[in-house]
Amino acid sequence: LPPALLPLALMASGILLRLLPHLPMCQTKVKSSAEYIYLTIQHYQFGLLYLSIGFHFILQIAVSDNRGAYHIGNLLFVVWMSDTGALIFGRVMKSTTTRQQQQNQAESKHNQKGFILECLQSISPGKTMYGLFGAIITGPISAILYPMAFASSNELSEVIDNPLAQRAMLGFILAIAGIIGDLAESSVKRLSTKKDSGKLLPGHGGVVDRFDSLLSSAVVYYYWMSV
C-alpha cells in the first residue's frame, strides 16, 4: 500500500468495523463482558482514527494552496447542503406517506424494507431511503452551484472531460462519503445506547454530530484534489 494512501485505508477500516455489526447477518445482542470490552476498544479506536485523520485532512485542504479557503468553503457547502437535502427529502416524503401504507409496512417490514433500509434503520431508526436519495441528489447540484473554478488534472480530464460533470461527480462522491461518515458516528451512539454524542450543542446531537459527515468527506476531497 502506498504510504500516501495509508490515512485513507485507516479511516476506511475504522468505518468498516463500525458498520459491520449492523449488517443483518452480524446483528447480535451484546451479552458478555468480553463483548462489551471489545465494543469499547472499537469506540476508542474509531474515535482516534476518525477525529484525528478527519481534522488532519481539513487542515491539509486549508493550507493546500492559495485557494485553500475556497476549497474549505466548497467542502462545507456541498456536505452541509447534502445533509440539508437528506433532512428535507426525508421529512417531506415521510409526511406524504399514508397511514395505510405505514400499517402495511409494519405488517411485513422485513420483506418491504430491503437490505439497505434494514441496515440504515438498525443504525438510526429515523433514516429513510428518501433521505438517502435526497443527499445523493443535493450533493452534485450543490457542487455545480458553488462559484469556484477547478484546475483539472490530466488524469481526471482523461476520465471526465466536462468541468460540470467533474463537479457533479465530486458532489456525488462527497454525498456518499458524508452519508457513510454520518452512519459510522451514529453507530457509535447506537451501540453505546446514547442519543447524543455530547451536551455542548443542545438540539444538535453534540459537537461530533456537526462534523461527522464533514470529517469523512474531507478525506475524499483531499484525495480528489490530489488526482
Side-chain angles (χ1 to χ4, degrees):
L1 181 69
L5 295 179
L6 182 59
L8 178 63
L10 286 173
M11 176 168 260
S13 64
I15 291 176
L16 181 62
L17 287 175
R18 293 283 7 107
L19 298 181
L20 276 177
H22 297 280
L23 295 177
M25 67 286 295
C26 300
Q27 291 180 17
T28 58
K29 292 184 178 180
V30 177
K31 297 178 180 179
S32 67
S33 58
E35 288 175 305
Y36 275 115
I37 294 173
Y38 174 68
L39 283 178
T40 301
I41 294 174
Q42 274 194 326
H43 289 346
Y44 280 107
Q45 172 260 357
F46 173 75
L48 288 172
L49 290 177
Y50 191 64
L51 296 177
S52 60
I53 293 177
F55 280 112
H56 166 76
F57 279 106
I58 290 177
L59 293 175
Q60 288 297 312
I61 295 171
V63 301
S64 58
D65 55 34
N66 58 359
R67 298 194 304 165
Y70 292 98
H71 284 294
I72 291 294
N74 187 27
L75 174 64
L76 293 174
F77 181 70
V78 174
V79 171
W80 286 346
M81 288 299 295
S82 179
D83 285 347
T84 303
L87 179 65
I88 294 175
F89 270 71
R91 288 189 175 179
V92 169
M93 296 306 297
K94 188 176 182 179
S95 65
T96 59
T97 304
T98 65
R99 183 173 298 180
Q100 183 61 41
Q101 289 174 325
Q102 291 175 345
Q103 291 175 351
N104 292 337
Q105 289 175 358
E107 292 173 359
S108 56
K109 63 180 181 179
H110 180 75
N111 294 330
Q112 292 189 10
K113 274 186 177 181
F115 178 80
I116 296 178
L117 186 57
E118 187 174 351
C119 292
L120 288 177
Q121 294 192 342
S122 72
I123 298 173
S124 180
K127 303 292 185 187
T128 65
M129 292 301 294
Y130 298 123
L132 182 69
F133 292 140
I136 293 174
I137 292 171
T138 310
I141 294 174
S142 302
I144 292 173
L145 294 177
Y146 188 77
M148 179 179 179
F150 286 92
S152 302
S153 64
N154 293 330
E155 293 84 356
L156 184 59
S157 297
E158 289 178 0
V159 180
I160 307 174
D161 188 43
N162 189 300
L164 288 180
Q166 292 178 6
R167 290 191 182 197
M169 179 59 69
L170 173 61
F172 175 78
I173 295 174
L174 290 180
I176 296 296
I179 291 169
I180 294 173
D182 175 65
L183 291 175
E185 195 270 341
S186 295
S187 168
V188 174
K189 295 189 297 182
R190 183 74 170 174
L191 295 177
S192 303
T193 64
K194 301 292 184 181
K195 183 177 183 297
D196 299 328
S197 61
K199 299 180 179 179
L200 190 58
L201 292 176
H204 291 271
V207 175
V208 179
D209 278 50
R210 295 298 89 206
F211 287 93
D212 52 8
S213 300
L214 184 63
L215 295 176
S216 55
S217 298
V219 179
V220 174
Y221 192 98
Y222 176 81
Y223 283 102
W224 176 276
M225 290 171 54
S226 306
V227 174

